[in-house]
Structures are given as C-alpha cells and as structure tokens.
Amino acid sequence: MEAADNLTDLDQAREEARRCGVDLMPTDGGLSLAADGMRLVPDFRALLPRLRPDRLGRELLVKAAKVKAGGGAPLAVDATAGLGQDALLLAASGFRVLLFERNPVIAALLQDALRRAAADADLADVAARMAFAGSDSIAGLRLLPAPPDVVYLDPMFPARQKSAAVKKKFQLLHHLERPCDDAAELLQAALDAHPRKVVVKRPPKGPFLADVKPSYSLAGKAVRYDVISLPPRRSETVQ
C-alpha cells in the first residue's frame, strides 16, 4: 500500500514535542522520544513473537476484527493508530490497513517505524499492507472511495493515570496523549463509513464508547473489544 502524501512534518513534530516537555530526535536505531531519563524508539520487531501463526489467531483483536473472506484482502481503517502495534496485528492477519494518527509527535514515530519495518526482511511483507493515511481520521473516513471492512477505534482509556504499574516507556506518551474529546463524532464517522463492523478497544470494565451498546464484546484480563456489526451492504445482499 502506498503512503499518503500528507506525511507528518518532522520540524513541526519536534516543536510539538518540545512544547510537551519531551525530545524527538533521530538516533542510529530510529526516531526516538526522550524525557525524564527514559527513551522510546518504537520497533515493530518486538511484536514478532505475537505474529507467529500459532499465536496470531489467539489475539482478541484478530478475533474481533475477523470478517468473512471476500474478493482480495479486506480493508481495515485504524482511526487512532498510536504507535501502530494493533495495526500490525491486523496486517499480519491479512488486512490491508490505513492508519490515522492525530498527534504529530506520535505520527512521526509511527511513520519512522513503518519505514524501518518496510526494510526489515522479517516485517516487509506485513508492512507492505500498512499505510499512514493522515492525521484527521474523521475527515479521512468520510473521504474513503469505498466502504472499508472494519474500522478500529482505540481512544485513550478514561482516567488513565501515571503509576508504577505503567511500563516506563509508555509513561513518555503521557506527555503527549490527551483524552478523546470527540468520541461521539469519531464513532459516528466510523459508522457512517458503512464498514462490516466497528471494533472499539475499551478497559475491561469501562463504559461503552459514546454510550453506544455493541452487538457483542470479547473481553480479556486487560482489555475488552466491543464489536458493532452493521447490516450487510446492499451489494452484498444481491445474489
């Protein structure tokens, strides 16, 4: 898949990082985020064990996003991509994935990780099914030329707090993350795109996104996936 022309401006991303009290800088290993004596260089290679066929099929997200086979690879839109780990799981399971990320710092880290994955023999085939599509997923969903098969939403968990229980590297992202303040609009844009299903990542005991009850949920110890199944598209009902 080809990346969008609207790539994140690195100078803009570095300025935004400084404003948030962190440093965004290139290193030999890739673009890094640093603050408080911690450094984060996103690397998809860390997820390789989870991409093995014997493990991938057990991933709750993969189960939640699964759709019936049609013509060609199904399309998923990750509207809140973050650092792209979930999108990588979807791509490894056979989806083509469009990734949107609104925060320019996280988007720059994501695009750098995608570039490195594309040059990695172990990840190139999966990375070829992933493309950064821009910052504004609400507008992007409305401009899709055809309905996607799945729209995936992972808004920031409510009341997320810094604590010793949070991995240090993710503490860096707390400098940048902000709670999703347009959840209802985001979900509506996902529904209006007419996918087969919308998959929403939530805390195990968290409320439904925008108070919309899902068709069903798949829950684990640390996360729950709410699945909203939509009626078949008109073209799918015609035999």
Side-chain angles (χ1 to χ4, degrees):
M1 296 179 69
E2 294 184 0
D5 293 332
N6 185 26
L7 299 180
T8 301
D9 182 272
L10 186 56
D11 289 336
Q12 176 191 351
R14 295 185 72 175
E15 180 60 33
E16 175 65 15
R18 285 191 289 269
R19 190 185 67 79
C20 294
V22 293
D23 292 320
L24 182 68
M25 61 187 69
T27 69
D28 291 341
L31 199 61
S32 76
L33 191 68
D36 305 327
M38 296 179 288
R39 184 177 299 277
L40 169 63
V41 180
D43 189 352
F44 287 137
R45 287 195 62 83
L47 275 75
L48 280 172
R50 295 174 65 184
L51 304 188
R52 296 200 316 256
D54 61 324
R55 292 186 59 180
L56 187 62
R58 299 201 300 266
E59 292 280 349
L60 278 183
L61 173 58
V62 172
K63 292 180 178 180
K66 187 175 181 180
V67 294
K68 292 183 179 180
L75 175 65
V77 175
D78 187 341
T80 51
L83 294 177
Q85 293 97 331
D86 287 340
L88 188 75
L89 294 176
L90 293 175
S93 71
F95 282 93
R96 294 173 295 123
V97 188
L98 293 177
L99 296 86
F100 288 89
E101 173 51 48
R102 69 172 60 183
N103 184 283
V105 182
I106 298 176
L109 291 166
L110 170 62
Q111 290 166 66
D112 182 66
L114 286 170
R115 283 191 292 268
R116 285 183 282 114
D120 187 313
D122 294 325
L123 291 166
D125 288 346
V126 177
R129 293 194 289 273
M130 304 169 68
F132 181 78
S135 61
D136 189 342
S137 58
I138 292 176
L141 283 164
R142 292 169 178 161
L143 293 173
L144 291 175
D149 293 280
V150 174
V151 176
Y152 177 55
L153 306 177
D154 177 15
M156 182 179 176
F157 283 0
R160 182 184 287 174
Q161 300 293 331
K162 296 182 183 179
S163 72
V166 180
K167 291 182 180 180
K168 285 186 177 180
K169 67 178 182 179
F170 292 113
Q171 289 181 24
L172 283 169
L173 299 181
H174 288 299
H175 291 274
L176 307 171
E177 289 181 321
R178 297 291 183 271
C180 182
D181 57 3
D182 55 357
E185 186 180 7
L186 179 61
L187 179 56
Q188 190 59 55
L191 295 171
D192 288 346
H194 303 294
R196 298 186 186 188
K197 59 174 64 173
V198 176
V199 179
V200 185
K201 187 176 185 177
R202 304 301 288 159
K205 297 183 180 180
F208 299 137
L209 186 66
D211 295 323
V212 175
K213 185 177 180 180
S215 305
Y216 61 93
S217 298
L218 298 179
K221 293 181 179 180
V223 69
R224 185 185 81 230
Y225 293 100
D226 293 337
V227 181
I228 302 173
S229 297
L230 279 73
R233 305 166 193 158
R234 181 173 298 180
S235 60
E236 294 173 342
T237 64
V238 177
Q239 301 297 324

